[in-house]
Amino acid sequence: MEKKLTVIPGDGIGPEVTREAVKVLKAVASRFGHRFEFDNKLMGACAIDATGVPLPGDTVNAALESDAILLGAIGDPKYDNNPAAKVRPEQGLLQLRKALGLYANIRPVKTYAALRHLSPIKEKHAENTDMVIYRELTGGIYFGEKKLNEEGTIASDECTYHRYEIERVAHLAFEAALLRRKKLTLVDKANVLETSRLWRSTVQEIQSQYPEVKVDYLFVDNAAMQLILNPSQFDVILTENMFGDILSDEASVISGSLGLLPSSSIGNKALFEPIHGSYPQAAGKDIANPLGTILSAAMMLDHFKAHEEAALIREAVDWTMQNGFVTRDIDSINFYFTSTVGDLMAEYVANELPVKINKRNIRMGHVTII
Ligand code: IPM
Ligand code: MN
């Protein structure tokens, strides 16, 4: 297989975590005889610094010409507390989603036995969590008209949905449910919002095309509560853009580490990114967890139908966790560096790992020395 990949490292820890994912993809290429071409491009605060805009045209063009995009994270605190900033790193990501027509954002959430003690909710509740959130990504309040009156005293963001926008992501969610536990939960606020009522009627209609899937409906406030009280009840969650943004962050902490969760955004192209942010406090320290990005690379391989390769990456992730080769967010005493975890993963994937590995030498950076 030959693939052209656009890599957008972004800001903060983005460059560190994407570097490790690229390392692992290179190991996959060498083991399976694939050819991946990597092309690094700018987006976010680093792009504003270099070019004045958060999404340079050159990045969009490269993304449009590539087979898939791997993204680290974007965002910089210098913009967060400045509501007056006209140019913001996040605009880059929103523009890219629109330019590539990435209408569905898919976020799987599951727990790992080795990490269950880190979950903020009781182990017995967290235990069997295994859900996937289908978030609509190019519509709703994120993309509606934004207004601020001249006096700066009244603001509004319009929330609009077209039926076709709901249908296309709903079909993806139903198809995913068919391959899983066949349960789909639509999350909305249909007791208040007109757009939510359109979501509900559209999904109710589509439902008849998937008779095997059991559908239920939850208001978003209740869903936020149910995610904490009983997360294992969920299989596929389908929801609109902003509810999906909020609920997926909430769901992500159930696993015990935000650093572990991957995502894909699908549409005219496919983009893969960890769900965590740019974590600026950790930038350059080699302490960020690269697994969310590495697992996003596995989702990319699944997208290319390279299922064996993707499964091998997941096996390597399980292996690093079972052996305690984890970053500081998971074990604050016996932790390994971002780059060491990436090296180990790459060696596991390339099948170059000695059977017996010496943990002390690994910590010193000598990965393969026994
Ligand atoms: C996400 C992020 C983005 C969003 C921001 C960075 C615009 O939070 O991917 O979830 O809100 O969609
Ligand atoms: Mn978010």
Side-chain angles (χ1 to χ4, degrees), residues 90 93-94 97 107 135 142 245 273:
E90 291 78 7
L93 183 54
L94 298 177
R97 286 174 181 165
R107 298 184 168 182
R135 165 187 173 193
Y142 270 57
D245 177 45
E273 59 172 321

Side-chain angles (χ1 to χ4, degrees), residues 351-365:
N351 205 13
E352 285 167 0
L353 215 57
V355 184
K356 229 174 124 251
I357 39 181
N358 180 323
K359 289 200 176 181
R360 221 186 89 219
N361 284 339
I362 290 175
R363 212 165 284 131
M364 289 163 64

Side-chain angles (χ1 to χ4, degrees), residues 112-186:
Y112 290 87
L115 301 187
R116 229 168 262 147
H117 62 285
L118 293 175
S119 177
I121 65 176
K122 290 198 183 82
E123 281 190 54
K124 66 170 194 259
H125 294 315
E127 200 156 62
N128 296 315
T129 303
D130 182 5
M131 72 180 98
V132 53
I133 300 177
Y134 275 72
R135 165 187 173 193
E136 198 291 325
L137 202 59
T138 48
I141 197 167
Y142 270 57
F143 290 93
E145 193 183 350
K146 299 180 189 313
K147 286 193 211 150
L148 179 66
N149 71 346
E150 267 180 31
E151 299 77 45
T153 52
I154 306 175
S156 65
D157 297 277
E158 196 181 68
C159 181
T160 304
Y161 266 109
H162 293 252
R163 210 186 145 86
Y164 79 91
E165 293 176 304
I166 302 169
E167 282 169 352
R168 60 188 180 182
V169 65
H171 281 295
L172 290 183
F174 272 104
E175 276 152 28
L178 279 179
L179 299 174
R180 295 174 49 99
R181 302 195 307 277
K182 302 187 174 51
K183 182 176 172 195
L184 184 145
T185 306
L186 175 69

Side-chain angles (χ1 to χ4, degrees), residues 147-279:
K147 286 193 211 150
L148 179 66
N149 71 346
E150 267 180 31
E151 299 77 45
T153 52
I154 306 175
S156 65
D157 297 277
E158 196 181 68
C159 181
T160 304
Y161 266 109
H162 293 252
R163 210 186 145 86
Y164 79 91
E165 293 176 304
I166 302 169
E167 282 169 352
R168 60 188 180 182
V169 65
H171 281 295
L172 290 183
F174 272 104
E175 276 152 28
L178 279 179
L179 299 174
R180 295 174 49 99
R181 302 195 307 277
K182 302 187 174 51
K183 182 176 172 195
L184 184 145
T185 306
L186 175 69
V187 173
D188 62 27
K189 188 74 185 171
N191 50 348
V192 178
L193 302 177
E194 202 56 55
T195 43
S196 282
R197 290 192 273 272
L198 184 64
W199 272 82
R200 217 170 254 224
S201 58
T202 306
V203 169
Q204 275 165 355
E205 226 180 273
I206 290 180
Q207 190 177 347
S208 59
Q209 297 170 38
Y210 302 89
E212 281 172 67
V213 179
K214 183 181 171 302
V215 183
D216 60 9
Y217 300 87
L218 276 186
F219 295 140
V220 62
D221 45 355
N222 188 12
M225 197 166 68
Q226 294 297 328
L227 270 175
I228 299 302
L229 291 177
N230 180 13
S232 62
Q233 70 181 285
F234 295 110
D235 181 20
V236 175
I237 290 180
L238 168 65
T239 192
E240 61 99 71
N241 202 344
M242 189 160 74
F243 297 159
D245 177 45
I246 298 167
L247 292 182
S248 59
D249 264 30
E250 184 189 354
S252 71
V253 298
I254 298 169
S255 74
S257 171
L258 181 60
L260 268 176
L261 297 186
S263 81
S264 65
S265 301
I266 304 292
N268 299 337
K269 285 280 160 190
L271 177 146
F272 301 84
E273 59 172 321
I275 88 151
H276 61 69
S278 60
Y279 191 15

